[in-house]
Amino acid sequence: MAWPRVQLVVTADDFGYCPRRDEGILAAFLAGTVTSVSLLVNGTSAESAAELARRYSIPTGLHANLSEGRPVGPALHGNSSLLSPEGFFLGKMGFREAVAAGDIALPQVREELEAQLSRFRELLGRPPTHVDAHQHVHVLPGVCQVFAEVLHAYGVRFTRLPVERGIGSCTWLGTPAHAFACTVERDAQAAVGPFSRHGLRWTDTFVGLSTCGRHMSAQRVLGALARALEGIPASQPLTAELMVHPGYPSVPPFGGCGQGPDAFSCSWERLHELQVLMEPTLKTQLAQDSIQLSTLDDLHSKWAEEGVPCEPTLEPILEPSP
């Protein structure tokens, strides 16, 4: 297969979750495989992670969080539809269920997103390079509209659209993870309208839903990219994002966003991702396939030079999965 020339941003999520996570992400960045990070400003190590980002000039965006731990905005001080009676966010599936039931007050979503953007600026002294979201909550119905409005108001133009071509055929994920990935993709496809109307930009293609944790390998990453690029002329340059979650396993009670670290954070799967990213195999194969590891600044410069409009190439990434 003759692949197009691809600029690939490799984004490590959950920066600021715990010092051991941050240590692993930094190692992958210094190795040149991770090119961008997304910071949890309500993470227990957010301040030290921000210091690492400043010290090592790590391109850093906001990993907006509406589903795990404690809020940073007004909800922290009173009753909120975003929170449980104990004062924590409702959880990965609990938040989704509340959104589907119409139980989430969207003005409170706006307040929390604005508070997290303000906290990011306090920590880093600058706006985020991008904003995506913990557990992909930014593409949920209703939430995606508020998310797009807030980013537009704060001058942030870059986000993540978690649509991975061929995710429907990735049965190795197992039933719960596969069903969740397919649901995220459907929600993301529906979020294209609000995102586009508010001038948001994302990469032409995305991978990472099929390569999370134990499922990551150099072969799987390359296979996901091959599916994403299938049928695209080799003469057409593209941009892509690979979402990763590397790190050394958390050791309770340290880590998390106010409730301690979750099971995935404490498992060997984070370390496995780090090992795959640190081995030379992946970088070597990417280079052989004309895939250039890039930062968001590289992409912005490319678009500015070429006069590319805000909207990315939608047709390839929005083909339905088989």
Side-chain angles (χ1 to χ4, degrees), residues 66-310:
L66 300 171
S67 57
E68 182 179 354
R70 292 194 181 277
V72 300
L76 184 63
H77 307 292
N79 293 330
S80 172
S81 66
L82 304 180
L83 304 182
S84 69
E86 294 74 30
F88 297 110
F89 286 133
L90 301 174
K92 175 180 175 180
M93 301 311 297
F95 182 71
R96 284 172 160 78
E97 291 165 1
V99 168
D103 293 336
I104 295 297
L106 294 178
Q108 294 173 348
V109 170
R110 182 186 305 275
E111 289 176 346
E112 180 62 24
L113 291 174
E114 291 174 344
Q116 292 188 21
L117 280 160
S118 296
R119 179 60 176 153
F120 184 97
R121 186 180 283 274
E122 290 174 4
L123 290 170
L124 273 296
R126 59 164 179 79
T129 58
H130 63 279
V131 181
D132 50 38
H134 193 46
Q135 300 167 342
H136 309 291
V137 297
H138 65 305
V139 298
L140 289 172
V143 175
C144 65
Q145 175 70 28
V146 174
F147 178 84
E149 291 171 359
V150 171
L151 264 61
H152 179 78
Y154 277 74
V156 179
R157 294 192 63 198
F158 202 92
T159 190
R160 170 185 293 162
L161 191 74
V163 175
E164 181 173 334
R165 290 181 76 187
I167 193 66
S169 64
C170 300
T171 53
W172 60 79
L173 291 173
T175 300
H178 185 253
F180 179 74
C182 291
T183 299
V184 166
E185 183 183 54
R186 287 194 297 270
D187 288 337
Q189 289 173 339
V192 167
F195 285 3
S196 296
R197 286 193 294 273
H198 288 85
L200 298 186
R201 172 85 215 198
W202 51 91
T203 54
D204 295 312
T205 194
F206 165 88
V207 296
L209 294 174
S210 67
T211 59
C212 188
R214 70 186 67 192
H215 305 295
M216 177 175 276
S217 66
Q219 182 179 2
R220 283 256 170 87
V221 169
L222 294 165
L225 287 167
R227 290 192 302 273
L229 301 174
E230 184 178 358
I232 298 174
S235 60
Q236 181 179 345
L238 291 176
T239 60
E241 180 186 14
L242 168 62
M243 173 188 69
V244 297
H245 302 83
Y248 298 105
S250 301
V251 178
F254 304 106
C257 300
Q259 295 172 282
D262 62 17
F264 182 35
S265 178
C266 298
S267 77
W268 59 270
E269 296 187 57
R270 299 283 186 169
L271 179 60
H272 172 72
E273 286 201 31
L274 177 60
Q275 291 169 337
V276 172
L277 292 169
M278 296 289 285
E279 291 171 358
T281 306
L282 179 59
K283 284 183 69 176
T284 300
Q285 190 60 55
L286 289 172
Q288 290 175 355
D289 290 331
S290 301
I291 297 176
Q292 176 186 352
L293 292 171
S294 303
T295 67
L296 289 175
D297 283 343
D298 295 330
L299 269 55
H300 287 305
S301 297
K302 170 182 177 291
W303 291 325
E305 290 172 3
E306 298 177 357
V308 175
C310 178

